[in-house]
Amino acid sequence: RWSLNGTLIDLGSDYRRHMSGGSLIIRNLDKDQDSGMYQCTAFNTLGSILSRRASIHFAYLDSFKTQSVRSAVNVREGQGVVLLCGAPPHSGELIFAWIFNEYPYSVQQDSRRFISQETGSLYIAKVEPSDVGNYTCVVNNTVTKQKVLSSPTPLVLRSDVEIHCGSLTIMIPLFYRLASTMRPCLIGNMSWNSVPAAKESVVKLECFALGNPVPEISWRRPSGVPFPSKVKMKNSNAVLEIPNFQQEDAGMYECIAENRRGKNAARGRISYHAKPQWLQTITDTARSIEENLFWECKANGKPKPSYSWLKNGEQMVAEVMARVEIENGALSITALNLSDSGMYQCVAENKHGSVYSSAQLMVLASAPSFSRSPLKALLKARSGSEVTLECKPQASPPAISLWKKGNEILLRTERITLLPNGTLKIANVTKQDAASYTCIAKNQFGTASTTGKLLITEPTRITMRPTNMEIIVGESIVLPCQIASDPALDVSFSWAFNGQLIDFQRDDTVSGDLMIRNIQLSHGGKYVCVVDTDVESLSTSAILVVKGSPWWMSPESNFCQLQLISCPPGPPDKVSVEEITDSTAQLSWTPGRDNGSPITGYIVQARTPFTVGWQVIDTAVPEVVNGNMLTATVVGLNAWVEYEFRVVAQNVVGLGEPSPASAKTRTEDA
């Protein structure tokens, strides 16, 4: 719907106005009926918002008052003169021109003659005999294209000399006439002592001077900052034009008029103005009933914008709304109720324009519901672990929650924690914690509950693990991986080789053994068995070293050295511990032979008095040791334990022989 000057437009009874979509179309515009301020309101069942305001003004241009020929203007040759136009009543931009004697002879502007487009006045810096005649002011309305003419103003020469500048008038005898001169006298539209200019507008400053000889006009900025290339000088420098005005164009400007008798200057300031622009706006918000709302909007602009707030298109006044506070761009509403729902607008406004920010406030009121977040019907947990049960009902206002174990209300204990958000935590669970658990949520609109069963299972154990092995090409092997687990658990097995999951192209089974037939050199590496259950994940690993046939792998054959065949790399050497802490060790080594195929990586192994044989250990820097690295930092060591380290090299053929062990080194105490 549309309003004009605050009154709703009744489209049903107005044949000239109709709407197309949201647009208002007006036919046969009428100055009396259609002038004013328009505003559009958009609304639906959730509320209303207002558009920014727009106005329609009708341009017009009245005729000059009927009168006889204007009084003659007497002036002496060599002196300056101003002929006033005095525009009639009008609306809309005007353009001024002057006719000399009769149409179509118009006054041409030059350094001696200037027509102000601010006042319409004609300025002649130094009158010459050829200037004598009748002058008619022509006023054009750029919107209506109307043109009106004033009565002629005769310009005649006097026999004595009158020097006039401002309020000073000096009469000079006639015999001085031909030799008389005058320093520049600045006149014209010098009302730009302080000019407000809007951002991106076109700013025009006018400056003209009377004088003999004809003064020259120039412009400068007292600050010394040069004019940018966009600044234009027009009409013999009488007009300075600044298109697309920006903040950096603001400041002092000085006009200088100069001839050989002297010079005169005038200066004024252009101040930067801009309509508001948003720095912070409001966004759609949902709040529970009885909660508080705080919205803030911020805008810049010059002059500094003022703020107002609308709800569903109506002005909000804090004084008549006890729960509402409005301070500049901030809106606060305490203890929201359902009637506060609707469309809100923050309006920032100064004399150059206004901006609107709109948002919907939804005040929610509903009984608790677990439809989107019920407890799992069956939750399994390993004995000794910590269990977390989340109670997340949808409710407005937020619901108060309590827990039941079976039919008994659950209370806090050393192992049981009830968090303010409704979450239940049980530490170090045992078989006695197995039960049905119910979360009950309640607010003033109703109650809801959700129930789940907690099942406590025994920890899963790996009963048979794969071990590090050495095997000859062509043989077959089974890497065992067997477990003992709670019968209530679902168990799956998977294997990884050198960090990549093995795709068996079949479903996982409860049997975790891995069989490898007809082993090749490329099968050498690290194998990891991963056991996944409903409640935990376990893994165990082993290194498989694949060797070629003894006859060509023997040192006497020298096949690898002669590069007749590629072999696994030779053993690294000189493994040493450069630095050791309570849990890490910095190792270095020298490479062995690559045996015809570049070394692609190294595996670090360790041994202690408490381990059975050599075990692969993790490295952190780098996490994967490539063939170009000869140092690594091992992690996960135990404090105050004596360690030996060795390194195994690998290439595309397989893993080579391990290096000799490093010297025994004890980690630091913790």
Side-chain angles (χ1 to χ4, degrees), residues 69-74 83 133-135 152-156:
V69 176
R70 294 186 177 189
S71 300
V73 175
N74 297 291
L83 301 181
N134 292 321
Y135 289 83
T153 301
L155 179 66
V156 297

Side-chain angles (χ1 to χ4, degrees), residues 618-624 633-635:
D618 293 329
T619 59
V621 183
E623 190 172 342
V624 177
T633 300
V634 297
V635 295

Side-chain angles (χ1 to χ4, degrees), residues 139-150:
V139 183
N140 290 273
N141 190 307
T142 60
V143 181
T144 65
K145 308 304 180 185
Q146 291 174 280
K147 179 192 294 185
V148 295
L149 281 69
S150 71

